[in-house]
């Protein structure tokens, strides 16, 4: 891997020394002048494609419906180091941590005879499995930029390029070998590894197009859904055929198969003596076949003719230039800039556009609706995104945020309930807690629900007080019955689930999540006049105390008092090992009691009290972060002492930078009066984000971890959902300029910033006035202005941000309950 993050030969078999030296030399060159640099080419889409970052390297538009990216042997699509590329799929999620997440319509250009006894022997359908015909490849001379991807298939000597607009994408296949015929295989029966294709249809149309339908299971084994597609070529194919379980059928135009007959597709062969390149324009739809055709006409054609590849690439990369340039940074190295803009790129990939060019979309009632004059979005990893990416989009992309809020409310209107993990047009019920409440609470607080407050409150109240009926696909707050009656979600691993997860199976973490969610929507309830409901929510926000076992001690330390699961009868859970261990996995979703004990941002003073006072709370934080080791070796501690595995959730008592439940914990130092420690921890976190395939910490979770990094690098971070409170901390760069709505801008200047080195705030000002508090309100930031930090290599432990009045008030203090 060179400094640009391109793998020189993915399979380690064919890259020559000359190519290696050339790329290493290129990576060592000085960066172009900052003002002239193309931001799309600054992005390195290979970041996160290793060690379960689960990003994809291919092409997509901002919030695009269609993505074109390679498929390898990994469940997320392609992973750095995969031996072969099996095809190029049409639909991907970035950074999701579960199987069955896209890659439908696997397309691969090939050379070789398709016929009896040929390289692709049509006498056996198994010859058309993409595991068999996939190609080794090299990215030497390739590219992974925002809106553009290029790779060479070495087994066939074909260069493949891809680019994408919102609803249409283009691929260009350049056949370099001397073959007289080149073919394109369209495999509709296979997708990403483990992504089950339940049924598929393919139809060859005329001599330039192929279209069809693919029925697949969704994320984490959820409900089945359909994707329609159409692919048109810039030149006629001379021969064609389809294949199925039996084999290939030359000249046939249609095939349809089920998961029990998992071979289905079409081949299209081109005369290479009439040109060495073939361009394919593709589109998809979740509505119907006409939707895919209309999307291709709207974005893949101009004047009735297909758009050329270079023209589409130019438009695609200009779209990315426009979006990425909304944040301008000064300072840092070339690698620092690449990491920053790649994180911004990843944060702007999701949610995905859901409505076709004519406005139609498939709702959660499985009926067709129309988004007239706005964009309907799909794919909601809310348990993740409510913690960082949601706030980033609300600040940088206010119009998108308004449409995001409207889309979520449409799910309630059309499906009957708000979603938990929405995929296409249904809820997968993956993850636990009540993430949609803090998600919408922050959209309201950031202004994205203006004019829809009452509508939002009605949906949120139903969610907060109810449980979806058994017949509903939605699971909602499955633990609400006991929570509303007794104040906690009981722990029961046998509780029936509608999806992969259900709250009682992780009752302790669900209780903490419910309590946070209750507090987050209380201000909205007050704003719409539901004062009694607001009071009830504030009272319920203290329900975390019902699971706080003040007598619980662990043998590894002298700390006492931890969260602990309760059974349905209210008794404390006792693990098979005997005494309950706060480092064990029982009762918590992707975490432990050590990690979830901090999830009380609504009332930190009372959490501090439960931990035995501020001194003990800070001592516990120091243990959690291994603070002394962190000071001595920030990068080493972050990688070796903190949780290091992407899925190493359990048996832990340290900070986990790879997952969301502890994402907010670095801010607690500032809120407990030690802001310099927040700065030290965030600096160590940033060492985990690098310009390399493993340069994302854990699953990127639809841009969540990237957004977390971005806030840390820009010098401010969101606090308790629904509060609008923004924590101030050192920025990574000399200057960050953020374009805000209405032509306003927010500038963060950091005197003494040194990217990669810990720096501490000794003084701060906003618009020329001293800023002694460690926080600002989002309404203030949205007005724009200049936030200026004076930074030092040494912390002032009695200076900036250390007075009692420098921290924000608790949003739901015990006094309000």
């Amino acid at each position: 891997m060179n400094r640009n993050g391109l793998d020189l030969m993915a399979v380690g078999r064919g890259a020559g020394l000359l190519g290696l030296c050339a790329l290493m030399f290129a990576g060592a060159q000085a960066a172009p002048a900052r003002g002239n640099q193309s931001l799309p080419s600054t992005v390195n889409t290979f970041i996160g494609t290793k060690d379960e970052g689960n990003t994809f390297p291919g092409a997509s538009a901002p919030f695009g419906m269609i993505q074109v990216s390679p498929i390898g042997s990994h469940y997320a699509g392609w992973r750095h180091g995969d031996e072969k590329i099996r095809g190029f799929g049409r639909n991907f999620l970035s950074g999701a941590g579960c199987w069955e997440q896209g890659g439908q319509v696997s397309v691969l250009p090939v050379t070789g005879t398709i016929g009896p006894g040929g390289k692709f022997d049509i006498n056996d359908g198994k010859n058309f499995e993409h595991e068999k015909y996939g190609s080794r490849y090299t990215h030497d001379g390739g590219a992974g930029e925002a809106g553009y991807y290029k790779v060479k298939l070495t087994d066939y000597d074909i260069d493949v390029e891809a680019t994408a607009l919102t609803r249409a994408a283009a691929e260009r296949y350049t056949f370099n070998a001397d073959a007289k015929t080149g073919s394109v295989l369209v495999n509709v029966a296979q997708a990403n590894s483990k992504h089950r294709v339940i049924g598929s249809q393919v139809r060859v149309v005329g001599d330039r197009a192929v279209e069809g339908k693919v029925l697949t299971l969704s994320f984490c084994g959820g409900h089945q859904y359909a994707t329609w597609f159409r692919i048109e070529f810039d030149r006629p194919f001379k021969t064609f055929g389809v294949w199925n379980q039996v084999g290939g059928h030359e000249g046939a135009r249609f095939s349809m198969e089920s998961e029990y007959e998992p071979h289905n597709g079409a081949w299209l062969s081109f005369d290479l003596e009439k040109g060495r390149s073939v361009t394919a324009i593709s589109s998809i739809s979740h509505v119907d076949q006409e939707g895919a055709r209309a999307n291709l006409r709207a974005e893949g054609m101009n004047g009735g003719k297909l758009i050329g590849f270079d023209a589409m690439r130019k438009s695609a990369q200009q779209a990315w230039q426009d979006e990425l340039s909304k944040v301008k940074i000064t300072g840092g190295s070339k690698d620092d800039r690449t990491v920053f803009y790649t994180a911004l790129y990843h944060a702007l990939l999701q949610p995905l556009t859901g409505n076709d060019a004519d406005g139609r979309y498939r709702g959660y009632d499985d009926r067709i609706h129309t988004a007239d004059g706005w964009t309907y979005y799909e794919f909601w990893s809310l348990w993740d995104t409510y913690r960082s990416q949601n706030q980033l989009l609300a600040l940088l992309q206010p119009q998108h945020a308004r449409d995001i809020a409207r889309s979520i409310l449409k799910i309630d209107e059309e499906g009957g309930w708000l979603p938990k993990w929405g995929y296409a047009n249904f809820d997968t019920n993956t993850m636990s807690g009540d993430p949609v409440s803090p998600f919408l609470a922050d959209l309201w607080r950031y202004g994205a629900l203006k004019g829809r407050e009452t509508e939002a409150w009605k949906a949120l109240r139903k969610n907060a007080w109810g449980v979806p009926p058994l017949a509903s696909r939605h699971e909602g707050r499955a633990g609400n019955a006991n929570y509303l009656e007794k104040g906690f979600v009981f722990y029961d691993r046998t509780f029936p689930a509608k999806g992969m997860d259900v709250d009682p199976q992780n009752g302790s973490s669900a209780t903490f999540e419910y309590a946070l969610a209750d507090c987050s929507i209380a201000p909205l309830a007050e704003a719409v006049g539901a004062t009694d409901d607001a009071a009830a929510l504030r009272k319920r926000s203290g329900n975390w105390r019902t699971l706080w076992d003040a007598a619980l001690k662990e043998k590894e330390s002298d700390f006492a008092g931890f969260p602990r699961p309760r059974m349905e009868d209210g008794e404390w859970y006792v693990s098979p090992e005997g005494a309950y261990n706060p480092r064990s996995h029982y009762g918590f979703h992707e975490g432990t009691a050590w990690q979830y004990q901090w999830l009380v941002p609504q009332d930190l003073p009372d959490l501090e009290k439960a931990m035995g006072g501020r001194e003990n709370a800070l001592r516990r934080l120091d243990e959690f972060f291994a603070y002394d080791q962190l000071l001595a070796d920030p990068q080493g501690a972050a990688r070796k002492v903190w949780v290091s595995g992407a899925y190493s959730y359990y048996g832990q008592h340290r900070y986990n930078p790879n997952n969301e439940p502890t994402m907010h914990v670095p801010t607690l130092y500032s809120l407990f009066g030690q802001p310099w420690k927040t700065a030290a921890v965030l600096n160590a976190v940033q060492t985990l984000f690098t310009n390399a395939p493993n340069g994302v910490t854990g699953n990127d979770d639809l841009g969540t971890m990237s957004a977390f990094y971005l806030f840390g690098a820009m010098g401010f971070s969101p606090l308790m959902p629904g509060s609008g409170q923004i924590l101030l901390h050192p920025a990574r760069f000399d200057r960050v300029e953020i374009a805000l709505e209405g032509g306003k801008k927010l500038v963060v200047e950091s005197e003494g910033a040194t990217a990669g080195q810990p720096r501490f705030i000794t003084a701060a000002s906003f618009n020329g006035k001293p800023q002694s508090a460690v926080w600002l309100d989002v309404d203030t930031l949205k007005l724009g202005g200049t936030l200026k930090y004076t930074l030092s290599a040494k912390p002032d432990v009695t200076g900036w941000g250390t007075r009692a009045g420098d921290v924000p008030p608790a949003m739901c203090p015990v006094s309000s309950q």
Side-chain angles (χ1 to χ4, degrees):
M1 177 60 58
N2 76 339
R3 299 296 288 174
N4 291 319
L6 295 178
D7 55 335
L8 302 179
M9 185 64 183
V11 298
R13 298 182 183 178
L17 180 60
L18 182 62
L20 172 63
C21 293
L23 273 179
M24 290 179 65
F25 176 78
Q29 300 309 295
R34 295 285 197 250
N36 299 325
Q37 189 171 16
S38 163
L39 294 181
S41 63
T42 301
V43 169
N44 174 10
T45 63
F46 294 98
I47 291 177
T49 59
K50 186 179 180 180
D51 290 354
E52 305 304 318
N54 290 359
T55 61
F56 62 86
S60 175
F63 312 105
M65 174 185 289
I66 187 171
Q67 304 79 33
V68 175
S69 193
I71 298 170
S73 60
H74 193 252
Y75 66 83
W78 177 87
R79 177 168 55 185
H80 175 80
D82 275 351
E83 182 179 2
K84 291 184 176 182
I85 288 177
R86 299 173 178 180
F88 296 88
R90 316 286 102 182
N91 188 221
F92 294 86
L93 295 179
S94 180
C98 206
W99 62 94
E100 298 170 343
Q101 50 172 292
Q104 299 96 318
V105 193
S106 174
V107 178
L108 192 74
V110 299
T111 55
T113 302
I114 300 177
K119 183 173 184 178
F120 298 90
D121 190 343
I122 64 175
N123 291 320
D124 188 349
K126 293 182 180 180
N127 291 322
F128 293 94
E129 294 174 353
H130 64 191
E131 296 90 343
K132 289 188 175 182
Y133 62 68
S135 176
R136 291 172 293 180
Y137 58 93
T138 178
H139 285 112
D140 186 359
E145 304 173 358
Y148 177 65
Y149 171 80
K150 182 179 180 181
V151 66
K152 178 183 287 293
L153 303 178
T154 54
D155 286 346
Y156 300 111
D157 197 11
I158 300 171
D159 290 324
V160 177
E161 299 168 90
T163 190
L165 299 178
T166 302
R167 298 179 179 86
E171 291 151 278
R172 181 162 60 193
Y173 314 127
T174 301
F175 296 82
N176 300 305
D178 294 332
K180 295 181 179 180
T181 300
S183 300
V184 175
L185 307 181
V186 181
N187 188 335
V188 294
Q190 294 181 284
N192 286 358
S193 174
K194 294 188 179 181
H195 191 141
R196 283 178 57 192
V197 176
I198 298 177
S200 58
Q201 298 178 5
V202 63
R203 185 184 301 276
V204 179
V205 181
D207 62 356
R208 288 177 180 256
V210 61
E211 62 183 27
K213 175 183 178 182
V214 179
L215 191 66
T216 47
L217 280 184
S218 78
F219 185 83
C220 287
H223 192 75
Q224 62 190 34
Y225 71 105
T227 302
W228 286 264
F229 72 93
R230 184 173 175 88
I231 304 173
E232 295 195 19
F233 299 92
D234 67 340
R235 49 189 289 197
F237 36 81
K238 66 176 184 178
T239 60
F240 59 87
V242 300
W243 72 80
N244 59 12
Q245 188 78 359
V246 176
H249 309 279
E250 189 170 359
R253 290 185 174 272
F254 179 77
S255 181
M256 178 170 61
E257 296 289 359
S258 73
E259 65 174 321
Y260 304 108
E261 299 164 326
H263 301 88
N264 197 24
W267 74 83
L268 315 150
S269 298
F270 297 84
D271 185 353
L272 297 183
E273 293 183 331
K274 296 182 178 180
R276 309 304 298 181
S277 72
V278 175
T279 296
I281 308 293
S282 59
S283 61
I284 63 171
S285 169
H286 291 143
V287 175
D288 55 23
Q289 188 64 68
E290 181 52 38
R293 296 169 187 153
N295 289 339
L296 196 149
R297 289 194 299 268
E299 299 190 17
M301 289 185 167
N302 186 10
K305 296 182 179 180
L306 292 180
I307 296 175
F309 181 89
D310 292 327
M312 184 180 285
R313 177 188 174 186
K314 182 178 180 180
S315 296
Q317 296 206 283
Q318 184 59 55
W320 276 113
Q321 180 74 19
D322 294 344
E323 298 299 338
L324 296 171
S325 63
K326 291 180 179 178
V327 184
K328 299 176 182 178
I329 57 175
T330 302
S333 66
K334 183 178 179 180
D335 277 354
D336 288 322
R337 292 177 58 80
T338 292
V339 170
F340 183 91
Y341 282 109
T342 302
L344 184 55
Y345 164 81
H346 283 146
L348 298 179
L349 288 172
Q350 288 95 190
L352 308 187
T353 296
N355 64 283
D356 291 336
D358 59 7
R360 296 182 307 145
Y361 66 89
R362 187 173 295 275
Y364 275 54
D365 55 2
D366 207 30
R367 297 177 180 176
I368 307 305
H369 304 270
T370 301
D372 187 8
W374 62 286
T375 300
Y376 177 80
Y377 289 106
E378 298 176 327
F379 298 92
W380 307 102
S381 184
L382 299 177
W383 187 82
D384 306 298
T385 58
Y386 92 76
R387 307 169 199 259
S388 62
Q389 193 244 12
N390 185 41
Q391 298 90 332
L392 184 76
L393 296 187
L395 192 64
L396 300 183
Q397 303 280 343
Q399 182 54 55
H400 286 291
R402 286 188 280 271
D403 287 351
I404 284 169
R406 190 171 181 180
S407 300
I408 292 287
L409 294 180
K410 282 294 181 182
I411 294 174
D412 174 76
E413 177 186 329
E414 295 156 6
W417 293 84
L418 291 169
K420 180 171 287 187
W421 212 120
Y423 192 105
N425 67 315
F426 53 88
D427 200 340
T428 66
N429 300 304
T430 305
M431 309 310 290
S432 63
D434 177 21
V436 72
S437 289
F439 185 89
L440 283 175
D442 262 339
L443 287 178
W444 167 71
R445 192 61 184 78
Y446 281 62
L449 275 171
K450 189 174 183 179
R452 301 184 186 279
E453 295 90 343
T454 300
E455 178 187 359
W457 169 244
K458 289 179 179 179
L460 285 165
R461 191 193 190 285
K462 177 173 58 177
N463 177 73
W465 266 268
V467 179
L470 186 62
S472 171
R473 287 184 187 171
H474 294 267
E475 199 166 68
R477 288 192 178 199
N480 239 359
N482 203 75
Y483 178 81
L484 296 178
E485 179 185 357
K486 300 180 181 179
F488 63 91
V489 181
F490 59 78
Y491 178 44
D492 182 0
R493 294 298 293 174
T494 67
F495 196 91
K498 292 182 180 180
M500 187 176 185
D501 303 298
V502 66
D503 292 338
Q505 293 186 9
N506 299 283
S508 300
S509 55
T511 299
F512 273 64
E513 295 269 16
Y514 284 13
L516 180 154
D518 284 338
C519 178
S520 74
I521 60 175
L524 174 57
E526 290 174 335
V528 299
T531 54
D532 289 346
D533 286 341
L537 289 165
R538 290 185 185 281
K539 183 177 181 179
R540 282 159 44 177
S541 73
N543 280 346
W544 61 273
R545 300 184 195 94
T546 65
L547 295 187
W548 192 271
D549 184 353
L552 180 61
K553 297 181 179 180
E554 61 168 12
K555 61 183 180 181
E556 296 89 350
S557 72
D558 64 349
F559 297 113
F562 289 94
R564 181 177 180 181
R566 286 188 186 271
M567 303 296 285
E568 189 170 3
D569 60 7
E571 293 296 316
W572 291 118
Y573 171 76
V574 178
S575 63
E577 299 91 308
Y580 184 79
N581 186 344
R583 306 185 184 198
S584 69
H585 68 281
Y586 302 109
F588 294 91
H589 189 100
E590 296 186 1
T592 65
W594 255 98
Q595 293 164 339
Y596 272 93
Q597 67 181 321
W598 311 106
L599 196 64
V600 191
Q602 67 269 27
D603 190 5
L604 291 176
D606 204 44
L607 177 65
E608 186 180 295
K609 181 180 178 181
M611 291 181 171
R614 175 159 295 189
E615 182 179 347
N616 282 329
L618 284 167
R619 192 166 60 89
R620 196 179 294 212
L621 270 178
D622 288 345
E623 174 66 20
F624 186 64
F625 285 108
Y627 189 75
D628 290 343
Q629 293 170 265
L630 194 72
L631 283 182
D633 181 8
Q635 185 171 357
R639 291 196 177 272
K640 298 176 183 178
V641 181
W642 290 351
V643 180
S644 58
Y647 303 118
S648 299
Y649 305 130
Y650 304 120
Q652 306 284 356
H653 79 297
R654 299 289 194 195
Y655 174 62
N656 185 356
N658 306 299
N659 206 17
E660 282 73 15
T662 59
M663 180 177 286
H664 70 293
V665 184
T667 68
L668 301 192
Y669 273 127
S670 293
L671 302 180
F672 287 161
Q674 296 186 342
W676 66 91
K677 290 186 178 180
T678 291
V681 171
L682 289 178
N683 174 74
V685 169
Q686 289 170 17
T687 67
L688 301 173
F689 291 83
T690 62
N691 186 15
N694 64 348
V696 170
T697 169
N699 302 151
D700 199 40
D701 287 324
L702 282 70
T704 299
M705 303 310 295
S706 286
F708 172 53
Y709 163 82
L710 289 167
F711 276 122
M714 292 190 298
F716 57 92
S717 297
L719 291 172
M720 169 66 197
S723 71
Q725 297 167 353
I726 304 292
L727 184 76
L728 308 182
H729 51 72
R732 187 173 179 86
F733 299 95
D734 299 335
R735 177 184 170 93
V736 180
E737 183 178 310
I738 302 165
L740 302 174
E741 194 168 30
K744 298 185 284 290
K745 65 181 178 181
L746 173 65
V747 176
V748 182
E749 295 180 347
S750 300
E751 180 183 330
T754 305
Q757 299 296 322
R759 291 293 181 266
F760 308 94
I761 298 176
T762 57
S765 66
F766 186 66
N767 288 338
K769 298 180 180 180
Q771 175 67 32
S772 60
V774 299
W775 70 286
L776 283 170
D777 187 87
V778 68
D779 291 335
T780 301
L781 286 186
K782 285 172 62 181
L783 293 174
T786 300
L787 177 62
K788 187 172 182 178
Y789 296 135
T790 301
L791 305 182
S792 171
K794 294 184 178 180
D796 183 353
V797 299
T798 61
W800 182 84
T802 60
R803 300 178 307 169
D806 290 341
V807 300
M811 189 169 161
C812 292
V814 66
S815 59
S816 72
Q817 300 166 18

